[in-house]
Amino acid sequence: MSSDCIFCKIAAGEIPCRKVYEDSDVLAFHDIHPVAPVHFMIIPKEHIASLADAHARHEMLLGRILMLAPTLAKEQGLTDGFRTVINTGRGGGQEVFHLHVHVFGGGKPRPM
Ligand code: AMP
Ligand code: ZN
């Protein structure tokens, strides 16, 4: 755990969140500033600062996070599809430096 990381604090239960899913390695919770009618993110409980800081030993964990996205999206009512975003580094628009996968949808998707 990184002591000054807000998502580590959420994963440790020190800061509340609107939980979507939790297991021993992964947590999913709603984004506090949603960009779509449904917007949550999936994070590893382990502090990994960004996708660029992940190592080979994280392969399975990252795979699990991605595999959870469609299941949780469907449970949250996104039966018609969803968008996944991983912002990486300042140049990628990352604001919270604890790896997270945004999952959102339910509105009209903006073309990329
Ligand atoms: P990113 O730009 O990918 O680093 O996005 C960080 C996201 O975290 C933003 O969409 C914020 O709205 C969201 N966020 C920041 N603090 C919280 C919090 N305490 N609970 C839920 N979402 C948060
Ligand atoms: Zn962290």
Side-chain angles (χ1 to χ4, degrees):
M1 165 159 175
S2 173
S3 58
D4 58 352
C5 171
I6 187 165
F7 285 2
C8 279
K9 288 181 178 155
I10 289 175
E14 292 169 13
I15 291 179
C17 69
R18 282 180 57 218
K19 195 186 295 182
V20 168
Y21 172 85
E22 181 171 21
D23 65 30
S24 54
D25 302 313
V26 174
L27 177 69
F29 54 96
H30 290 280
D31 197 294
I32 206 165
H33 294 127
V35 299
V38 175
H39 181 181
F40 62 91
M41 55 192 118
I42 313 175
I43 70 166
K45 287 188 172 176
E46 177 184 344
H47 181 82
I48 304 168
S50 80
L51 190 58
D53 297 287
H55 297 290
R57 70 183 169 85
H58 296 123
E59 254 183 35
M60 192 92 104
L61 180 60
L62 294 181
R64 286 203 36 234
I65 286 172
L66 281 185
M67 293 298 287
L68 269 169
T71 305
L72 300 182
K74 203 178 257 182
E75 283 176 13
Q76 293 300 312
L78 300 178
T79 52
D80 194 32
F82 56 90
R83 184 167 278 172
T84 44
V85 169
I86 306 174
N87 295 325
T88 302
R90 300 227 177 265
Q94 187 175 4
E95 289 176 357
V96 176
F97 282 79
H98 180 127
L99 175 58
H100 51 282
V101 178
H102 293 266
V103 180
F104 54 94
K108 192 173 183 301
R110 269 191 257 158
M112 299 231 17

